Amino acid sequence: MTATTPTVAIIGAGFGGLAAAIELGRNGIHDFEVFERGDSVGGVWRANAYPGAACDVPSPIYSFSYALETRWSARYGSQPEIHAYLRRCADRFGITPKIRFGAEVVAATFADDGWSVELASGEVRRFGALICATGQLSRPRIPEVPDRSSFAGAQFHSAEWDPAVSLRGKRVAVVGSGASAIQLVPAIVDEVDRLHVIARSPNWVANKCDHATGGPLHALLRRVPGLARLQHNAEWLWFESRVPMIFNRLDPVRTVFQAWLRAKIRREIRDPALRAVVTPDYKVGCNRILPSNDWYPALDRSHVSVHPHAVARMTPQGPVLADGTVVEADVVVWCTGFTADEYLAPIRITGRDGRLLHTEWKDGPEAYLGITVAGFPNMFLLFGPNTGSITNTITYLLEKQARYARMAIQHLATRGGRLEVRAEVQNDYQRWLDRRLRATVFTSGCPGWYHTATGRVFAVWPGSHLEYARRTARFDPADYTPGA
């Protein structure tokens, strides 16, 4: 690259940040720095160390396409394995020396065709371009429950697991029934004395087609040329084939699928009343379908109680639910998700002419291709608005976003200055997204984190991964306003 290649700041060292850094490095752009607030790479896979934590996407496709792993212990990798994989990738591609650990970015300000990045320590660094890869699932959300601090026992979010707290023989309340809860509850059910699952709204749960992968398969994947790639491609195509299910026109098929999922509930739960409590009242696919073979049997255990009500307030003894039930507990675990609708918070992002990103996004985040935002030149997002993967693997989308950002940075290298997506291009794209989303199950009305309080869907990509790859395959300077 030429001497005019902009220096690049990358915020975050999870899958997204590593995808960006590796993409730059593999294409000859080496003048970048990664800022990571944690003490290692991994993002959510560093933070989410609760019992049973694992991926709900098969590991052969939940990995970089250029760094396929051949030694997963099972089809679905565990949190320690995924964390170790990301550390190996950072080392293999020479990214680790470029990461500043324990460096939390608190603000980024655009001026004079560049970005000033401010750290919590007060240090300010100057860069030509900014890549934000903090993800949508980086800040734990705990509901604002009255008197929460009055609880006499231990309490923490599942993403902030306290390993010093023993659950053995304890009365434990798990608040939530999403992706973390369905892994945590089966993992601790045999350890606790009493388990309360406070699940205001149930999720659709499907079978998890998992299996152990031992030494013989590992040896074959390593030694047979192309076998790991074949495994990856087969898994990828199978998941990509599920895309039509997000569209309303397939409601007849959806009805059959829901009947099959209800049959799973009947097979795995004996109590008719409990069956009713765990059966969703919304269309399958409206939010993420969770894979588990252990969730329903765990709920059906004699020492487990399921409460279909929200937590109204806390007392020293435990949560008080909306129906007045007092749940006495020694430990409360909040499996209540993340602040996905507050993307990039609490970082203060100031763009051209002093505009604040969080003000611009007051009605919900939006970005062209989920990557660039009008008014914020030379800034690129990974896992930005409407790029969540619901049918396949997010790593594929991250690779395409990193590629697009790299092409834009290479374009900047040829002319310098700034590059800002035109407002009319972003608005046209958002109108297309809204039209497409209206044809999907995501707007049919259901609980979850895919939409804002006003109902606007901001989190998921409403199409195939191949379509997203096609839309991001080429950087078109005509979509952008250059600046000297």
Side-chain angles (χ1 to χ4, degrees), residues 181-334:
I182 73 160
Q183 295 177 344
L184 172 65
V185 166
I188 66 173
V189 68
D190 290 325
E191 181 179 0
V192 303
D193 175 65
R194 185 75 188 172
L195 183 58
H196 296 273
V197 179
I198 302 171
R200 180 178 58 179
S201 56
N203 289 276
W204 288 108
V205 178
N207 291 335
K208 186 174 185 178
C209 300
D210 200 6
H211 56 81
T213 56
L217 178 58
H218 293 172
L220 284 172
L221 290 171
R222 286 195 306 271
R223 296 172 184 172
V224 178
L227 186 59
R229 177 66 55 191
L230 178 62
Q231 181 192 41
H232 170 275
N233 291 351
E235 290 274 21
W236 193 93
L237 289 170
W238 166 247
F239 275 75
E240 186 74 349
S241 71
R242 307 186 309 170
V243 171
M245 281 294 294
I246 72 173
F247 295 103
N248 293 327
R249 62 177 179 267
L250 259 72
D251 275 354
V253 178
R254 195 183 326 278
T255 300
V256 175
F257 187 34
Q258 287 180 188
W260 181 74
L261 295 179
R262 288 193 178 97
K264 172 182 171 68
I265 295 173
R266 291 193 299 271
R267 287 194 307 271
E268 299 181 0
I269 291 182
R270 295 163 296 178
D271 181 4
L274 181 56
R275 291 174 183 168
V277 167
V278 302
T279 302
D281 60 359
Y282 54 85
K283 292 181 179 180
V284 65
C286 185
N287 58 17
R288 195 169 187 86
I289 302 170
L290 304 177
S292 177
N293 302 326
D294 308 316
W295 170 246
Y296 291 141
L299 299 184
D300 202 36
R301 300 283 291 275
S302 61
H303 66 297
V304 178
S305 298
V306 180
H307 307 274
H309 303 283
V311 177
R313 60 186 176 90
M314 291 286 281
T315 68
Q317 293 73 38
V320 178
L321 308 185
D323 67 343
T325 300
V326 178
V327 177
E328 295 186 354
D330 303 305
V331 180
V332 174
V333 182
W334 299 90

Side-chain angles (χ1 to χ4, degrees), residues 459-480:
V460 293
W461 168 247
S464 72
H465 285 42
L466 287 173
E467 180 180 6
Y468 188 83
R470 177 182 60 79
R471 285 181 169 269
T472 56
R474 186 174 68 91
F475 174 79
D476 188 353
D479 293 334
Y480 290 79

